[in-house]
Amino acid sequence: MFSNYLIGLREGLEASLVVCILIAYLVKTGRRDAIRPIWIGIGVAVALALGFGSALEFGSQELTFEAQEALGGSLSIVAVGLVTWMVFWMRRTARHLKAELHGKLDAALQMGTAALVATAFLAVGREGLETALFVWASVHAASDGTPRPLIGVALGLATAVFLGWLFYRGALKINLAKFFTWTGGMLVVVAAGVLAYGFHDLQEADWLPGLTDKAFDISGAIPPDSWYGTLLKGVFNFQPDPTVLQVTVWLLYLVPTLALFLSPVGFASGKGKVKTPDDQGSQPSKAPQARP
C-alpha cells in the first residue's frame, strides 16, 4: 500500500505543481480570463488518464490467462521505462520548471484559447498517462485481492492535491529539488520490483524460460500471507520464491540506476557535463607567446 501511496503522491504532486504554476502566473499577470481554458485542458487530461486506466483494467479481463500475463509483463516494462525517464528528467529540471512553464504559457496566450487548452492538456496529460500506466502495473504486481493498493493510490493523490493547494496559497515551502530526489530514489526501488514482476509475468505467459528455476525460497521464514510478508510485497513487490531471472533483472536495474540517480554529479543532476571535441574547439584558444 505504501508503494502505491508513494506513486500517487509523487505523480500527483508533479501535476498539482504544474496546475499551480499555470494558474498563479495567470492571476499574477492579470489574465484571469485565461484560467477557464486552462481548467478545460486539465479536465480533458484527467478524463483521458482515467479512460486509459479503465481500458487497461477492464480490457485485460477479456483476455486469456497467458494473454493477460503477457500484457501485464509488457506494460510493466514500458511503465518502468517511462517512470525511470520521468524521475531523471524531474531531477534535472525541478529548479527550472516554473520558468519553462511560464515560457510555454506566454506563447499560448499569444495564440489564443485553443493553445491554452492544449498547453494545459499536454502539461497534465503526460503526467496522467504515466501515472495511469505505472499505477496499473504496480497494482497488478502487488495486488493481493484487496482494494488496499487502490486506496493507497487514492490517498497519495489526495495528499498531492492538498499539498498543491498549500503551495498555491503560499502556506508551504519546501526544497522541490531535494523532495523529488528522495521520492525519486524510493520510486526507483518500487520500479525495480515492478520490473522483476513484469519479467515473471512474461515467464508465466511462456514468453521467457526459467519459470521453475528458483533463485531461493524463503516462504517458510516469510509466509506471503503474513503481515510482514504482505508489507514487504506491498512496499517492495517482494516475492519469497523469485526466479533466477527475476533476481537478475532486479539487480541489473536497481544497482546502476539508483547509483546514477543519487550521484552528486553526472546525468541525474545535470552537472559535470563532459566537453566534446567540438565544444573544446569552439572556445577561443590562447595565442602563442612570441619569443624575444
Side-chain angles (χ1 to χ4, degrees):
M1 183 173 176
F2 174 76
S3 63
N4 294 286
Y5 175 83
L6 176 63
I7 295 169
L9 174 63
R10 164 77 189 222
E11 301 294 322
L13 187 57
E14 287 187 29
S16 295
L17 287 175
V18 169
V19 173
C20 290
I21 291 171
L22 293 177
I23 299 298
Y25 184 67
L26 291 176
V27 172
K28 185 177 180 179
T29 55
R31 292 299 308 270
R32 292 179 178 270
D33 58 300
I35 293 179
R36 185 178 179 182
I38 293 295
W39 281 116
I40 292 175
I42 293 170
V44 174
V46 171
L48 178 63
L50 291 175
F52 179 60
S54 299
L56 288 175
E57 176 63 23
F58 296 108
S60 62
Q61 294 179 2
E62 303 298 325
L63 303 175
T64 63
F65 173 78
E66 289 77 10
Q68 287 183 10
E69 297 303 301
L71 177 64
S74 301
L75 291 182
S76 294
I77 296 172
V78 172
V80 169
L82 289 174
V83 167
T84 303
W85 171 84
M86 178 270 298
V87 295
F88 276 92
W89 176 84
M90 180 53 72
R91 185 179 175 187
R92 289 170 60 89
T93 60
R95 296 181 180 88
H96 315 293
L97 181 62
K98 181 183 292 187
E100 181 180 338
L101 289 173
H102 285 177
K104 292 181 179 179
L105 194 54
D106 283 335
L109 284 169
Q110 297 178 0
M111 297 176 64
T113 302
L116 288 172
V117 174
T119 299
F121 171 77
L122 293 175
V124 179
R126 184 193 63 187
E127 302 294 340
L129 292 176
E130 288 179 357
T131 302
L133 179 57
F134 194 60
V135 165
W136 182 85
S138 179
V139 170
H140 176 76
S143 180
D144 54 2
T146 70
R148 282 181 295 184
L150 292 178
I151 293 175
V153 173
L155 290 175
L157 291 174
T159 305
V161 172
F162 178 67
L163 291 177
W165 180 78
L166 291 179
F167 276 119
Y168 179 77
R169 303 297 297 180
L172 181 64
K173 293 182 179 180
I174 62 174
N175 188 317
L176 291 180
K178 290 185 177 180
F179 173 83
F180 283 119
T181 296
W182 286 106
T183 56
M186 290 187 287
L187 205 57
V188 168
V189 177
V190 174
V194 173
L195 183 65
Y197 202 89
F199 273 80
H200 182 264
D201 281 348
L202 294 181
Q203 287 180 309
E204 289 193 326
D206 205 21
W207 281 24
L208 294 174
L211 182 60
T212 58
D213 298 332
K214 303 294 183 181
F216 53 82
D217 189 349
I218 55 174
S219 302
I222 306 179
D225 55 351
S226 63
W227 68 267
Y228 45 92
T230 303
L231 179 64
L232 289 173
K233 183 174 179 60
V235 177
F236 302 109
N237 287 311
F238 173 78
Q239 185 176 338
D241 57 343
T243 65
V244 174
L245 180 61
Q246 280 183 270
V247 175
T248 302
V249 168
W250 187 83
L251 289 173
L252 289 178
Y253 170 83
L254 180 64
V255 175
T257 303
L258 197 58
L260 183 60
F261 181 77
L262 297 179
S263 62
V265 294
F267 176 74
S269 60
K271 300 178 183 179
K273 182 180 179 182
V274 179
K275 293 182 179 180
T276 63
D278 292 338
D279 295 333
Q280 295 175 347
S282 62
Q283 296 184 4
S285 59
K286 295 183 179 179
Q289 297 283 340
R291 294 186 178 182

